[in-house]
Amino acid sequence: MKFINKLFALTLLFTTVTFAQPKKTKIDGVIGVVGEYVILDSDIDLEYIQLKAQGVDIKNITRCELFGKSLEDKLYAHQAIQDSIVVTDQEVTDFMGQQIDAMVEQVGSMDKVIKFYNKKDEADFKSYFFDVIKMNKLTSQMQKKIIDEVEITPEEVRNFFKEIPEDEKPVFGAEVEVAQIVIKPKVTEEERKKVIDKLKEIRQDVLNGSSFFTKAVLFSQDPGSSSNGGYYKMNRKTPFVKEFKDVAFSLNEGEISEPFETDFGFHIIYVEKIKGQEIELRHILIAPKVSNEAVAEAKVEVEKIREKIVNGEITFSDAAKSSSDEKETKNNGGVLFNPRTMETKFELTKMDPALYNQIVDLKVGEISQPIYDQDERGNKYYKILTVNSKLPEHKADYANDYLKIKELALKDKQIKAISKWMDEKIQETYVKIDKEYQECDFTNNWLKK
């Protein structure tokens, strides 16, 4: 197997065993123990059912593979407890509620969910599902702890790249750097006042005894929370916009904020509970409406900006800094940031299809015609795009592709750290494998030979 293929194969951490199957007749019972965790033969059956339900082709997935994966998960969870990693029952219960709601919505009823998991009743299913979620959370936190401790130096990246034979160096697809200038339709003061007055009216109604939950269901335009009465649970690390968090953490329990503005629109927040560093709140979001006239004016404005750039009166970068309404990109000259790679280059074959279609025919330095678009919240705007640079498909180059090479090198080092950790912890931990499964050709030394 080629060097780089080995690396990508290693990243499939869940593939833990090869294809030796147990030969004797299967009888349900305990097939493995790791620390205090037990694995049943029926757990493997359930894994098959779940994979099939997810559309995974299970023809070539052996019981040994799934058993090996389960042994790994149990070791992570066991060691998480030894390392005092805490997953609270409330955290599990909250997450379980969200997952069950999603399952019921998908299949139609709780009875169908219970039948799918082959459980006696709802209580039996919830008891089982609680344990599964808690173990999964312990597993993921333990994995994260191992990986987070791994760092890599420039010298290690250089050595990693040097060790790849020349004819096995990875090939990266064609890439582009894209910049944009966004002009958003302006909201009138009259419309802003209308929204603020409406939120003040709702706030007063709640203070007079109306239900905040009901008001949120009726009036909030936040698709993520309106059906649930505007409910969110958050702490200071929760990824909400700064303005929202500042207001939320300035309120006392039972207090309702005055209307305030974020990029999403105007809000009011009601704090239901404060539990240490965590708060439970409800909010109502109303976004001011944009008139057709404002949309037309935005188009005229972006056309004028484009004309100045094309005529050489201003550079695209300077125009973005002075005129773009997109805070995330304007100070960087409008250059788009690729969240997948943490850099400014986009691989053409992995770009968002909509963005790809908008830039695919542009030459380097060419300015697109005004494009009518909308963000993930449905807010309409006009934009112009340019391609700052294009790099054709190429074999990895240390100078030009340093960040990608660093990512590969770090992943390689993380995998080695996990492998070393696994070897050490298996030796320290009580592990028992049923004789029916001792014929499996495990990648890890579960049999401690």
Side-chain angles (χ1 to χ4, degrees), residues 61-325:
I61 300 177
T62 69
R63 298 187 71 81
C64 281
E65 287 182 290
L66 295 182
F67 181 44
K69 165 66 168 58
S70 188
L71 288 168
E72 280 191 4
D73 288 346
K74 300 297 189 288
L75 182 63
Y76 284 126
H78 168 78
Q79 193 59 43
I81 294 171
Q82 310 310 307
D83 289 3
S84 301
I85 292 175
V86 176
V87 174
T88 66
D89 288 354
Q90 187 62 51
E91 181 182 351
V92 175
T93 300
D94 290 343
F95 184 76
M96 182 171 70
Q98 297 169 14
Q99 294 298 300
I100 290 175
D101 287 346
M103 290 178 190
V104 170
E105 184 176 347
Q106 185 176 9
V107 302
S109 71
M110 187 65 191
D111 287 341
K112 290 182 179 178
V113 173
I114 294 167
K115 184 178 179 181
F116 176 83
Y117 281 91
N118 196 28
K119 297 301 174 183
K120 292 184 298 184
D121 51 33
E122 185 171 339
D124 186 34
F125 167 70
K126 285 186 174 179
S127 175
Y128 156 79
F129 200 38
F130 182 95
D131 291 340
V132 169
I133 290 173
K134 186 157 190 173
M135 194 203 72
N136 287 344
K137 285 186 171 292
L138 287 168
T139 294
S140 63
Q141 289 192 33
M142 188 68 245
Q143 288 174 327
K144 184 176 184 298
K145 180 180 178 182
I146 300 166
I147 289 173
D148 284 352
E149 292 175 354
V150 178
E151 297 179 345
I152 196 159
T153 66
E155 184 64 24
E156 288 175 311
V157 177
R158 187 180 298 107
N159 290 336
F160 169 82
F161 187 68
K162 285 180 178 178
E163 288 173 6
I164 305 176
E166 187 62 33
D167 62 345
E168 296 180 18
K169 283 185 167 56
V171 173
F172 296 125
E175 296 174 322
V176 294
E177 183 179 274
V178 180
Q180 69 180 19
I181 294 172
V182 171
I183 300 299
K184 299 177 181 178
K186 303 300 186 288
V187 177
T188 65
E189 285 302 316
E190 179 183 1
E191 183 60 31
R192 289 165 58 89
K193 185 176 184 303
K194 187 188 298 183
V195 170
I196 292 170
D197 288 345
K198 181 62 180 178
L199 287 170
K200 285 183 175 181
E201 177 188 324
I202 293 171
R203 180 179 185 275
Q204 192 58 50
D205 287 346
V206 174
L207 291 173
N208 290 338
S210 294
S211 164
F212 196 101
F213 181 102
T214 302
K215 294 288 188 181
V217 172
L218 291 174
F219 297 107
S220 183
Q221 295 173 359
D222 176 14
S225 71
S226 59
S227 63
N228 196 28
Y231 177 83
Y232 282 116
K233 180 188 288 187
M234 61 183 289
N235 56 45
R236 292 192 181 275
K237 294 183 179 179
T238 307
F240 281 72
V241 294
K242 181 179 183 299
E243 299 89 342
F244 191 96
K245 290 168 73 171
D246 287 347
V247 172
F249 284 99
S250 71
L251 299 173
N252 296 317
E253 194 170 290
E255 192 174 358
I256 305 175
S257 75
E258 293 289 343
F260 65 96
E261 188 176 12
T262 71
D263 288 342
F264 295 86
F266 287 90
H267 312 248
I268 54 173
I269 291 176
Y270 166 54
V271 173
E272 283 193 338
K273 292 180 182 177
I274 299 177
K275 299 178 179 178
Q277 299 300 311
E278 193 171 67
I279 61 176
E280 295 182 25
L281 60 82
R282 297 186 186 276
H283 88 120
I284 294 172
L285 164 68
I286 301 179
K289 294 179 180 178
V290 174
S291 68
N292 292 333
E293 291 81 5
V295 173
E297 289 171 1
K299 183 179 182 182
V300 170
E301 184 177 350
V302 83
E303 286 174 338
K304 289 179 179 177
I305 294 170
R306 181 182 185 277
E307 185 177 357
K308 288 182 178 180
I309 297 170
V310 171
N311 291 338
E313 298 175 39
I314 190 172
T315 65
F316 193 100
S317 177
D318 287 343
K321 292 174 183 176
S322 62
S323 303
S324 182
D325 291 328

Side-chain angles (χ1 to χ4, degrees), residues 13-20 62-69 71-72 440-444 446:
L13 299 179
F14 293 153
T15 304
T16 58
V17 293
T18 54
F19 293 100
T62 69
R63 298 187 71 81
C64 281
E65 287 182 290
L66 295 182
F67 181 44
K69 165 66 168 58
L71 288 168
E72 280 191 4
C440 290
D441 185 11
F442 294 110
T443 299
N444 294 305
W446 295 110

